[in-house]
Amino acid sequence: MRSPSLRQLFATIVPLFLAAPAFAQSVGTVTDTASPSAYVGGDAWASLRTACGTADARIDRAARALAASHGRGEATDGRAATNALRDAGDPHVWPRSAVLAAKDLDLATAKEKLLPYFQGLAKSGGAGAVRRCGLGEARADDGTTHLAVIVVDAPAELVALPRQGRTGQWLTVEATFPEGATATDGKVVIVGPDGKPRTVPTSTTEKGIKARFALDRPGAFTVQVLATSEEGPRPVLEAPVFADVTPTNASSLPPAPAPGEDAPLPPGTDAPHALAAMANAARGAEKAGPLRWDPALATLAASHAAAMRAKGVLAHDVGNGDPAARLRAANVGFRYAGENVVRLGPGDGENRVGLAHRRLWESPSHRGNVLNAQYTRIGTAILVESDGTLWGVELFASDP
């Protein structure tokens, strides 16, 4: 028999980066131009913004930072876009981004490159989501213009949450959902500076959800809001909070490997077994018992990865049922079950499996699945397309 909390154990991550072709060479000194926002007249990219989505000043700031990073030759992958949003105070997740670079870049050229990109973006926010867009430019001393765009399909909005607090302070997390959005099974998951994530008791309000939690020790916390759509539960908002420490800009921090990411693997270990080994190494670091490899779960994970790729959608249910339904249809016994899914874009680094594990670990709800003590078995799948796009699945189950 399934636990009533089964649906609360599912989580997803979607692609954070899709690169438009950059068509410039090296740059010199880059200036992050504080160009007029979408709310001020004289914006050279105004018509491009209209084609992109609803303008958002915070996402504008993030896009300017991403453009400047591109001009300096720094990474502009999915993590860079996410970090730029965090530093700009925007809590939305699942950003898609593109960067153009050319000397004397004009509106006509930008439209030629970016309009097909906008039109090809599948809506990732579910019912009621509002597409928000930010554009920002940076100019090099050789005349090269770097234009970055960040697109977010926002299914929820976060009511003001302080970025800094003190140990023992209680904070209120409140999220509102646009009309038509599905806010059922909404919950808040918190992860502190160390240890396992915890789910905070959450109540439903007229327009969304509300929860309260205490900063129980010094350090950096991540607050994540999840809600259920027709494709299953998914993160919709995420924000950092710092207790008794100085807030840091996410973009200034070097990439930190997740526990288990550097676990030694026997020669010849394939990608699915490597992902499972990383999950088990992370569990060991948190004093959780290892998971047994289950070929039946691995087969189901591979089938789901192929189904997601075929539809181009990252979700727990792409028409083939949620994880529990797929387990039952395959006559695989279980009492508790959960699933993590992840997609990496073509530009998301070289150590693909390790990066997939890191992305899952960084998300409180995904980490909760990895560390869930009720699970005893795991099956994983990694599917890589010819362009480098990676689809990954971790399917967890307890013994019957």
Side-chain angles (χ1 to χ4, degrees), residues 9-37:
L9 301 176
F10 303 156
T12 63
I13 288 181
V14 297
L16 298 175
F17 177 63
L18 179 56
F23 46 100
Q25 289 75 43
S26 60
V27 299
T29 303
V30 174
T31 302
D32 181 2
T33 59
S35 55
S37 77

Side-chain angles (χ1 to χ4, degrees), residues 293-308 316 320-334 337 339 341 377-381 393-397:
W293 176 263
D294 188 320
L297 295 185
T299 298
L300 290 172
S303 176
H304 188 58
M308 290 191 299
H316 296 295
N320 56 348
D322 65 19
R326 286 182 263 125
L327 287 166
R328 291 194 193 95
N331 293 317
V332 176
F334 69 100
E339 179 176 76
V341 294
R377 298 174 290 158
I378 187 173
T380 64
V393 179
E394 294 177 332
L395 184 56
F396 307 93

Side-chain angles (χ1 to χ4, degrees), residues 27-283:
V27 299
T29 303
V30 174
T31 302
D32 181 2
T33 59
S35 55
S37 77
Y39 310 108
V40 180
D43 182 3
W45 312 108
S47 58
L48 191 59
R49 293 173 184 279
T50 302
C52 176
T54 302
D56 190 301
R58 293 174 303 179
I59 306 179
D60 278 349
R61 290 197 295 271
R64 287 198 293 270
L66 197 66
S69 294
H70 189 270
R72 293 190 294 267
E74 299 169 355
T76 52
D77 59 7
R79 182 49 48 192
T82 298
N83 287 344
L85 285 178
R86 283 192 166 194
D87 293 345
D90 188 281
H92 295 113
V93 298
W94 300 16
R96 275 81 64 84
S97 63
V99 181
L100 299 179
K103 288 189 175 181
D104 302 318
L105 180 65
D106 58 16
L107 180 60
T109 302
K111 281 187 172 181
E112 177 187 353
K113 298 294 181 179
L114 287 176
L115 288 182
Y117 170 67
F118 297 153
Q119 294 164 358
L121 285 177
K123 193 169 185 178
S124 66
V130 177
R131 175 157 291 177
R132 299 191 180 281
C133 184
L135 275 80
E137 64 179 85
R139 295 174 185 169
D141 56 10
D142 67 352
T144 300
T145 296
H146 298 256
L147 178 66
V149 56
I150 298 178
V151 182
V152 174
D153 288 324
E157 297 295 333
L158 189 66
V159 178
L161 181 71
R163 185 174 172 86
Q164 187 171 20
R166 63 184 185 281
T167 300
Q169 180 180 356
W170 284 83
L171 300 179
T172 298
V173 181
E174 186 172 4
T176 61
F177 296 83
E179 186 175 351
T182 302
T184 59
D185 291 341
K187 68 172 183 175
V188 175
V189 180
I190 310 292
V191 65
D194 50 44
K196 300 178 182 179
R198 69 182 191 271
T199 300
V200 179
T202 306
S203 60
T204 301
T205 67
E206 183 179 349
K207 295 184 178 180
I209 61 171
K210 180 182 288 188
R212 282 175 59 79
F213 76 100
L215 299 171
D216 57 4
R217 59 197 184 279
F221 290 74
T222 299
V223 178
Q224 187 180 73
V225 177
L226 295 97
T228 298
S229 70
E230 60 185 10
E231 296 173 343
R234 53 155 289 184
V236 293
L237 297 166
E238 194 172 287
V241 178
F242 299 85
D244 297 333
V245 294
T246 302
T248 56
N249 282 341
S251 57
S252 68
L253 300 175
E261 184 178 338
D262 298 326
L265 301 172
T269 301
D270 62 17
H273 283 86
L275 184 60
M278 292 175 189
N280 268 331
R283 285 173 67 92

